[in-house]
Amino acid sequence: MLERLQRALGLKTNPAIFFTSAALVFVFVVCSVVFTDAVDAAFGAASDAIKTNLGWFYILGVTSFLVFLLWIALSRFGHVRLGGKDARPEYGNVTWFGMLFAAGIGTILMFWGVAEPINHFANPPLSGVDEQVASLSESAGSAEAFAEGLREIPVQAGDAVPLSEDAANQAIGFTLYHFGFHTWAIFTLPALAFAYFAYRRGLPFRVSSIFHPILGERINGPIGKVIDVTAVIGTLFGVAVSIGLGTLQINSGLNGLFGIEIGKPTQIAIIAIVTTIATISVVLGLDKGIKWLSNINIWMAVGLLVFILLAGSTVFLLRGVIESAGTYLSALIPLSFWNDTLPAEGWGWQGNWTVFYWAWTITWAPFVGIFVARISKGRSIREFVLGVLGAPVAFSVVWFSVFGLSAINIEWHDPGSLVGPVVQEGDTASALFSFLENFPATEFVMAMSVLIVVIFFTTSSDSASLVVDMLTSGNALNPPTRQRVFWAVLEGVVAATLIAATGQEALQALEEVITVLGLPFFLVAFLTMYCLVRALREDVADEELLPRRTRRMLAKRREKAPAPD
């Protein structure tokens, strides 16, 4: 029956995966609208249970992924080329790097570039002052009084006082931990697996293909379909959270520029408009749509970065970028294993920040992974891993250092100007625009920032619709455009539902849903590491594991060797 329906609609997909995924998402949307309170309560309870009992598993998992990737890149498998030993990259390094940002990391940079450092500056993660900060935010009258009160919060010996130099170092260290190697390890692991099984074994771009060493041809049976449906649903919600965050930020920017009201009707309208733009980009295709938009947007983002660097305290920021890199590297190993263990009852800080980030990122990982694999054919495993980990992380270090230290510097010289709206009022989405009010040409720069977020939003939705379509069909070659349009529209519907049909604050609702959906993806990721190593050992000949120069030398020796009698 599903196959007949597929033919009637002119689709080219796996009908069981496509229609089951669409139906389950539709059921969620209806239940969220009709049973709002029950859905809120269910996800809230499940999210709290995961943060309390399995937060350590999320922390251990992401650190394990990073260690595994570094090992496989530097091992003898690093010479293996994705697509065969003679394959070469389809895209140059600059274009490849720009398209990595099309996968959605740009939205993260814009939303959290100011918001996270300022939050940690006011509430140092290792000091355990959450309750005091929350109480002060309610009792302090003005933003200036709030900032003054933060500096007077008593802390234990050796802990950072809010808004102090130690707090600034913690703010930068934790921010880079959240958006550095660990985040990109979550993206890189499935990307490498997708690329390997698609280009070396000729399997479809589906999550079930990663399990081929274990399941064999059963990846095309019921077990494989369950895996793929789960991946599609998780990916849709992961992308929807990103779209939701971008929507909140766009709404905040439009409010600052034109006084447009902040609220759910406006946010739904924003999602509708940007989804329409993304749909047009979908119709244009990968090379004309995503590639063109991502190249434009990365240069706009770099332009904004340079403006902040030159218009702010330039020397302070140049020194700070170098120092921030050192702060991050020195804190990398301790934070990779930190679990918010002491005091015994825990402070709960990590569940609301790190655990949420890892859960959100890993639900997004199949989307980013397939997209990165799609644009990375021909690269060696070593080049792939070090490139996907290295280039975006280097840019993130510069970005968060410049924006984070600029925000901290502004707060130092004008107490309350940023911690007031961002921390005391809890308006995280307005952080960037409150920050930009301290720079010249404010309205122009704010307008450009809104445009950057819109384009990042568009390329995320555009890329996601292509990838979700590949997850349901496994076909990377010219699927019907109507399929990608369907997924682009559905992503917008899910994002609008998460924001509008929940009884809680939008950001809190997004966090709780994604924390729950992230759990099965961690289990899949651990199996991915095993399957990838097993496949490499089964498929790759010893000679291919040698460096290319050595292989060429051996080939020349064979050519010169006398023919056997």
Side-chain angles (χ1 to χ4, degrees):
M1 183 181 73
L2 293 179
E3 291 183 356
R4 289 199 300 272
L5 179 60
Q6 175 185 234
R7 288 193 296 270
L9 295 174
L11 304 179
K12 185 180 179 182
T13 186
N14 185 304
I17 300 173
F18 182 95
F19 290 111
T20 302
S21 301
L24 289 174
V25 172
F26 177 76
V27 168
F28 171 83
V29 169
V30 172
C31 290
S32 296
V33 174
V34 178
F35 307 107
T36 299
D37 293 339
V39 171
D40 284 349
F43 277 103
S47 175
D48 289 342
I50 287 173
K51 290 175 183 177
T52 301
N53 300 306
L54 290 175
W56 63 269
F57 178 67
Y58 284 39
I59 305 301
L60 174 65
V62 181
T63 298
S64 300
F65 307 157
L66 178 59
V67 172
F68 171 81
L69 288 166
L70 294 176
W71 167 78
I72 202 168
L74 300 176
S75 73
R76 60 198 184 109
F77 297 123
H79 299 295
V80 174
R81 197 163 284 277
L82 303 171
K85 60 184 178 181
D86 298 322
R88 291 296 177 267
E90 298 177 348
Y91 299 99
N93 289 335
V94 175
T95 300
W96 184 52
F97 177 53
M99 293 175 77
L100 290 177
F101 280 80
I105 188 67
T107 305
I108 293 175
L109 295 177
M110 296 296 289
F111 191 91
W112 295 110
V114 172
E116 176 151 356
I118 279 296
N119 267 286
H120 301 341
F121 186 44
N123 184 2
L126 299 178
S127 296
V129 293
D130 298 57
E131 293 183 3
Q132 295 95 311
V133 172
S135 176
L136 183 63
S137 66
E138 295 177 0
S139 61
S142 65
E144 293 81 0
F146 177 64
E148 183 178 350
L150 287 174
R151 291 189 172 91
E152 297 175 355
I153 288 178
V155 298
Q156 296 182 5
D159 287 342
V161 176
L163 306 187
S164 66
E165 183 179 338
D166 289 340
N169 287 328
Q170 279 194 38
I172 295 300
F174 269 90
T175 300
L176 292 178
Y177 165 53
H178 286 152
F179 299 110
F181 289 116
H182 282 71
T183 284
W184 281 94
I186 296 174
F187 292 149
T188 306
L189 177 61
L192 177 60
F194 283 130
Y196 182 84
F197 287 104
Y199 301 137
R200 297 287 303 209
R201 289 198 173 184
L203 296 173
F205 279 96
R206 290 201 295 260
V207 174
S208 58
S209 296
I210 295 173
F211 293 87
H212 190 260
I214 299 175
L215 299 176
E217 293 306 311
R218 285 179 295 170
I219 62 171
N220 298 312
I223 296 176
K225 289 180 173 61
V226 169
I227 293 171
D228 290 326
V229 168
T230 303
V232 170
I233 294 172
T235 301
L236 277 170
F237 280 93
V239 173
V241 169
S242 178
I243 291 174
L245 293 176
T247 299
L248 298 177
Q249 190 171 37
I250 292 169
N251 194 178
S252 180
L254 294 176
N255 175 262
L257 283 170
F258 308 112
I260 295 176
E261 182 181 359
I262 294 178
K264 292 181 179 180
T266 304
Q267 290 156 7
I268 293 174
I270 292 170
I271 290 174
I273 292 170
V274 180
T275 299
T276 301
I277 299 172
T279 302
I280 295 172
S281 180
V282 163
V283 173
L284 293 175
L286 179 64
D287 289 329
K288 292 182 180 179
I290 300 173
K291 179 180 176 181
W292 182 73
L293 284 173
S294 61
N295 283 338
I296 290 176
N297 215 33
I298 191 63
W299 287 114
M300 290 177 65
V302 169
L304 179 61
L305 176 69
V306 172
F307 170 79
I308 299 299
L309 178 64
L310 297 179
S313 301
T314 306
V315 175
F316 166 75
L317 294 176
L318 290 174
R319 293 164 57 193
V321 168
I322 298 172
E323 189 169 318
S324 295
T327 299
Y328 171 48
L329 293 176
S330 65
L332 183 59
I333 293 178
L335 292 183
S336 296
F337 298 93
W338 180 64
N339 268 296
D340 206 2
T341 305
L342 300 174
E345 66 271 15
W347 295 317
W349 182 92
Q350 195 174 48
N352 294 325
W353 287 93
T354 311
V355 173
F356 158 65
Y357 280 144
W358 294 168
W360 172 30
T361 307
I362 205 164
T363 56
W364 211 9
F367 149 48
V368 178
I370 285 187
F371 183 78
V372 171
R374 171 68 177 80
I375 63 176
S376 301
K377 184 178 181 180
R379 298 183 183 274
S380 69
I381 287 179
R382 180 168 302 149
E383 181 184 8
F384 180 93
V385 170
L386 297 182
V388 178
L389 283 179
V393 171
F395 186 85
S396 296
V397 168
V398 175
W399 182 278
F400 284 103
S401 298
V402 169
F403 280 83
L405 289 172
S406 293
I408 288 170
N409 192 43
I410 289 169
E411 182 60 35
W412 259 329
H413 289 89
D414 187 10
S417 59
L418 291 179
V419 297
V422 178
V423 182
Q424 183 182 17
E425 299 176 14
D427 190 2
T428 306
S430 72
L432 176 64
F433 303 106
S434 298
F435 168 77
L436 292 176
E437 290 176 359
N438 296 274
F439 290 86
T442 301
E443 291 187 356
F444 172 78
V445 179
M446 287 177 65
M448 186 175 75
S449 299
V450 170
L451 181 59
I452 292 172
V453 175
V454 168
I455 299 179
F456 274 138
F457 183 166
T458 301
T459 54
S460 295
S461 179
D462 188 344
S463 307
S465 63
L466 172 66
V467 167
V468 172
D469 185 58
M470 291 165 66
L471 283 170
T472 57
S473 68
N475 178 23
L477 300 175
N478 303 317
T481 301
R482 62 173 65 92
Q483 293 176 194
R484 303 200 306 274
V485 170
F486 170 78
W487 292 118
V489 172
L490 189 58
E491 289 154 14
V493 170
V494 173
T497 301
L498 289 175
I499 285 179
T502 52
Q504 309 171 32
E505 290 296 325
L507 187 56
Q508 180 186 351
L510 296 175
E511 291 178 358
E512 291 182 346
V513 169
I514 215 62
T515 299
V516 175
L517 293 177
L519 182 58
F521 285 85
F522 273 93
L523 302 176
V524 169
F526 274 102
L527 289 172
T528 296
M529 293 187 286
Y530 169 78
C531 291
L532 187 57
V533 172
R534 179 170 168 176
L536 283 164
R537 288 174 175 169
E538 292 174 355
D539 299 347
V540 181
D542 290 340
E543 184 174 329
E544 192 176 346
L545 300 177
L546 298 172
R548 185 165 47 175
R549 182 179 298 177
T550 304
R551 294 201 306 269
R552 288 177 177 174
M553 181 180 67
L554 292 174
K556 289 181 180 179
R557 286 182 180 178
R558 284 194 292 265
E559 290 175 0
K560 294 179 180 179
D565 295 334

